[in-house]
Amino acid sequence: MANTYGAAGRMAAAFIHSKLTPLFILASMSLGGLAVLALPREEEPQIIVPMVDVFVEMPGATPADVEQRVTRPLEQLLWEVPGVEYLYSTSSPGQSLVIVRFKVDEPQEPALVRLNQKLAAHADRIPPGVIGPIVKPRSIDDVPILAVTVWSARYADDQLRSLAVQLRDAIAEVNDVSEVTIIGGRPRQVRVDIDPAKLSAYGLDPLSVQQAIARTNVRGAAAGPVAGGAVTGLEAGSRLRTADELRNTVVTSASGRPVFVRDVADVVDGDAEPSSYVSFQSKTSGAQPAVTLAVAKRKGTNATDVAHRVVRKLDSLKGSLVPSDVQLTVTRDYGETAADKTNELLWHMLLAVLSVSALIWLALGRREAGVVLIAIPVTLALTLFMFYLFGYTLNRITLFALIFSVGILVDDAIVVVENIVRHARMRGGEAGGLAAIAVRAVDEVGNPTVLATLAVVAAILPMAFVRGLSGPYMRPIPVGASAAMIFSLIVAFVVTPWAAVRLLKPSAHHDDGRNDLMTRLYRLVMGPLIASGRRRAIFLAGVAVLLLAAAALVPLGLVTMKMMPFDNKSEFQVMIDMPEGTALETTARVASALASAALDDETVVNVQQYVGTSAPYNFNGLVRPICRSTSCRKAIEPRRATKWPDACASA
């Protein structure tokens, strides 16, 4: 008799009494649990969008000269690189920045090779006096997962930056930290202010002073003679270590005496001129100078674990490296938000499984619900393990795919369980018992179930081939849902009959289901509709009205259409676009006024102001480079000109 069954019936017959079936269930659940623990938790899915920053310096040049002599030729050159989709450029005093964005899913390493080859092959286009180009690739993992603001009411920004440098070295020692960036604070520098009158009196020019300092600040080494079986090292020259050594540097000689740097210039050992302002402001502290440490993680690591390790490292430094009157405030923690979102989605996935099981309990019975309660977790566990094998991370997209899959993957188990229950009621005393009934029931609905499953996969899977940025961003949904459907089909033919034989209660009498409460309710509603054409017409008209009313919710604005649910990040950015040429201090006053206005909202905890420098950028700032360049004024994108913001305020 078993040979007369189809593929579904033969599969059910092979596993319904097999010792491998419970092992398959345990192994699936174990692999799913391993995947939950091993999958990295992140805010956003891993998307390959190769981004490259190309820096070129032209000391002393104005923004107009930089744009004409460096930026425009560089744009034309980079636009010839295959795979480039967008170019964003910034021309600032003495510096040019061109951000190259390749097409989505373009392999990063070949893209970088093509870009470097293009720059090297056309090095003759670089005008004299230009330093660079310096190529710095960017990826989704360069988005800082943690931002720690160092602020104090006692210390100035230069002192805070010195402390931040030490903290950066300590954070860099934490496992899986890839980059720590310091934003804000004036660095220490030794400035040489040349006196034109004194310089003219000695018949010198500024270039002579520069060359003299460069010659003095050189240390050379060479291998000396061999003596006693050892090589004697030879060293000449020394580095300038103090401001006094710089003052005593000889520039030239006049009238038989040396001319020192101090004779023609003032040497000032202090802080650099302010080129940016970073401040921290809260309801209780007021506006205070600050420095921000932006921490990025390595690719494929758990953002939650990395963030927790960095925070623990900083806590251990309080009272030793960090003075008691210096505050460390975490102003961004994507590790914490990623953990909150994934935990919440896992909880909702559990609720979805329990809700479906409760519905089966109501419609068929508690034993039947138990069968479904076994089948769904096995399917979800296998799907999670597939995410792990495909290299996906545990984020709101992959978990949304699983929650989305619960509603469709349960169909296979429900169809099989319902048919087993129906056959058990009609053939309760049949020879072979419930096992034979279950195999026959599975075989009966096998082909339609396979067809329905493949139809769902065929409808969802093409979404995985969508091009553009939304394609790879949403790809875990069709991949996860398709894998879940295939696994649900296997589980329905293997696990569901095995569980049904052990959980369902065999019926000793024949019953076509007429006494079932849900069946009686169904017949009570459908009987009059089928019997009366007028009632059918009224019912169909009511369905059409409800359909039109539901469709009208979108144009009426009562329902917001969005591909993904709203992101619930605890931060937002306000970008200030001041007239070109506005002083930093004026922009800082405007940013401070906006910060004070934002703090009037009771939900705003604190505000960080970044004037003349970039704030720690997020995912949107990576793929659309706004507020990511330093000291930027204007950007020129091929075929479109864009005005860049002068300041960012993050709340």
Side-chain angles (χ1 to χ4, degrees):
M1 181 66 68
N3 294 330
T4 63
Y5 292 143
R10 291 196 297 270
M11 185 180 296
F15 287 95
I16 199 166
H17 290 303
S18 175
K19 297 292 193 282
L20 295 176
T21 306
L23 292 178
F24 172 74
I25 296 174
L26 292 175
S28 301
M29 297 300 293
S30 300
L31 291 175
L34 174 65
V36 171
L37 296 176
L39 279 171
R41 300 191 177 195
E42 294 183 323
E43 274 276 335
E44 307 289 349
Q46 288 286 333
I47 301 178
I48 301 177
V49 187
M51 305 278 294
V52 181
D53 292 348
V54 181
F55 295 92
V56 178
E57 292 187 3
M58 192 174 184
T62 63
D65 291 338
V66 170
E67 180 179 347
Q68 185 67 29
R69 302 185 61 189
V70 178
T71 304
R72 290 185 181 275
L74 192 60
E75 287 176 343
Q76 296 172 1
L77 186 64
L78 294 176
W79 196 250
E80 300 172 0
V81 178
V84 172
E85 187 174 16
Y86 293 106
L87 292 177
Y88 305 86
S89 62
T90 301
S91 299
S92 56
Q95 179 178 307
S96 172
L97 167 64
V98 178
I99 301 174
V100 184
R101 175 178 145 185
F102 288 85
K103 295 178 181 178
V104 179
D105 278 347
E106 188 80 17
Q108 186 168 8
E109 286 76 13
L112 290 175
V113 170
R114 293 196 299 269
L115 186 143
N116 281 283
Q117 286 178 341
K118 175 65 71 171
L119 292 175
H122 296 83
D124 55 324
R125 294 191 187 181
I126 300 177
V130 169
I131 302 174
I134 300 174
V135 177
K136 192 170 185 178
R138 300 285 186 182
S139 68
I140 185 67
D141 293 293
D142 292 321
V143 176
I145 63 168
L146 189 72
V148 181
T149 300
V150 185
W151 61 278
S152 174
R154 178 180 177 184
Y155 299 100
D157 60 338
D158 59 317
Q159 296 170 307
L160 293 175
R161 184 178 179 89
S162 299
L163 174 61
V165 171
Q166 301 178 62
L167 292 176
R168 178 187 60 186
D169 297 338
I171 294 174
E173 298 174 357
V174 177
N175 290 336
D176 298 326
V177 170
S178 65
E179 184 180 10
V180 183
T181 305
I182 299 177
I183 303 175
R186 289 172 296 166
R188 176 175 174 265
Q189 72 173 18
V190 178
R191 187 175 69 252
V192 179
D193 296 331
I194 296 177
D195 188 330
K198 294 180 179 179
L199 199 66
S200 177
Y202 288 105
L204 300 174
D205 55 42
L207 186 60
S208 302
V209 179
Q210 179 188 9
Q211 291 175 346
I213 295 174
R215 287 194 303 267
T216 306
N217 192 35
V218 173
R219 185 180 184 89
V226 177
V231 178
T232 303
L234 298 178
E235 294 182 355
S238 62
R239 296 286 186 182
L240 296 174
R241 293 184 294 272
T242 65
D244 288 336
E245 292 181 356
L246 183 57
R247 293 187 184 96
N248 296 325
T249 299
V250 177
V251 179
T252 185
S253 61
S255 302
R257 60 177 295 270
V259 178
F260 299 98
V261 170
R262 65 173 181 266
D263 296 329
V264 295
D266 293 329
V267 178
V268 180
D269 185 0
D271 306 320
E273 289 293 328
S275 59
S276 64
Y277 292 98
V278 176
S279 62
F280 176 90
Q281 190 170 347
S282 66
K283 291 181 171 63
T284 57
S285 66
Q288 304 295 340
V291 176
T292 298
L293 291 165
V295 183
K297 69 177 186 63
R298 292 178 180 173
K299 182 179 180 180
T301 56
N302 195 318
T304 303
D305 292 343
V306 175
H308 287 173
R309 287 197 292 267
V310 172
V311 172
R312 287 196 298 267
K313 180 69 172 181
L314 293 175
D315 290 339
S316 66
L317 298 175
K318 292 180 179 178
S320 55
L321 180 61
V322 181
S324 59
D325 48 4
V326 173
Q327 306 298 322
L328 302 180
T329 303
V330 176
T331 51
R332 172 189 292 183
D333 192 347
Y334 284 174
E336 188 66 27
T337 54
D340 291 341
K341 290 175 183 178
T342 53
N343 291 336
E344 182 179 2
L345 288 171
L346 287 172
W347 170 248
H348 282 84
M349 187 168 65
L350 176 61
L351 291 180
V353 172
L354 295 178
S355 300
V356 170
S357 302
L359 182 62
I360 302 301
W361 188 338
L362 179 64
L364 294 177
R366 59 184 178 85
R367 294 178 179 270
E368 293 79 359
V371 176
V372 176
L373 193 59
I374 294 176
I376 298 179
V378 172
T379 304
L380 293 177
L382 291 173
T383 307
L384 280 170
F385 185 66
M386 287 300 298
F387 281 153
Y388 176 76
L389 294 180
F390 275 107
Y392 290 129
T393 59
L394 205 60
N395 53 71
R396 61 194 183 107
I397 305 298
T398 52
L399 288 174
F400 176 78
L402 290 177
I403 296 177
F404 167 76
S405 304
V406 170
I408 56 178
L409 65 86
V410 73
D411 290 345
D412 293 344
I414 291 177
V415 168
V416 171
V417 169
E418 191 277 334
N419 204 45
I420 293 175
V421 172
R422 186 177 67 87
H423 275 267
R425 289 174 176 175
M426 293 189 304
R427 307 171 185 270
E430 183 175 327
L434 190 56
I437 294 174
V439 173
R440 184 178 291 106
V442 171
D443 182 70
E444 185 178 65
V445 297
N447 291 338
T449 304
V450 171
L451 181 61
T453 301
L454 295 180
V456 173
V457 172
I460 296 176
L461 194 57
M463 184 179 173
F465 302 97
V466 174
R467 300 177 63 86
L469 186 61
S470 60
Y473 190 83
M474 305 298 296
R475 191 164 296 157
I477 295 179
V479 172
S482 300
M485 288 302 299
I486 298 299
F487 286 135
S488 71
L489 184 65
I490 298 174
V491 170
F493 294 160
V494 174
V495 176
T496 302
W498 177 88
V501 170
R502 285 151 182 82
L503 293 181
L504 297 184
K505 186 177 181 180
S507 299
H509 61 282
H510 298 285
D511 183 9
D512 59 359
R514 292 179 181 271
N515 295 323
D516 183 77
L517 176 61
M518 298 301 295
T519 303
R520 293 199 305 269
L521 181 61
Y522 175 78
R523 292 177 180 274
L524 180 65
V525 174
M526 294 302 299
L529 289 177
I530 296 175
S532 173
R534 183 171 177 271
R535 290 192 180 98
R536 290 197 300 271
I538 294 175
F539 177 78
L540 291 176
V543 172
V545 170
L546 292 176
L547 178 61
L548 293 175
L553 294 176
V554 176
L556 292 177
L558 300 177
V559 174
T560 302
M561 290 294 293
K562 200 171 183 291
M563 186 63 180
M564 288 300 300
F566 288 102
D567 195 6
N568 189 24
K569 284 188 173 65
S570 59
E571 64 174 286
F572 67 92
Q573 288 187 349
V574 177
M575 284 162 283
I576 305 170
D577 187 8
M578 299 291 288
E580 189 168 344
T582 303
L584 287 175
E585 290 74 16
T586 303
T587 307
R589 286 195 295 269
V590 174
S592 180
L594 290 177
S596 299
L599 286 171
D600 291 338
D601 192 312
E602 61 180 8
T603 60
V604 176
V605 178
N606 53 61
V607 180
Q608 294 79 51
Q609 303 168 46
Y610 301 89
V611 181
T613 186
S614 59
Y617 58 93
N618 51 24
F619 173 78
N620 182 63
L622 175 73
V623 298
R624 184 173 180 265
I626 292 181
C627 207
R628 185 156 72 87
S629 64
T630 58
S631 302
C632 53
R633 289 294 181 185
K634 184 173 65 176
I636 300 173
E637 179 185 350
R639 306 171 189 172
R640 185 172 76 238
T642 306
K643 187 75 167 59
W644 288 69
D646 298 297
C648 294
S650 299

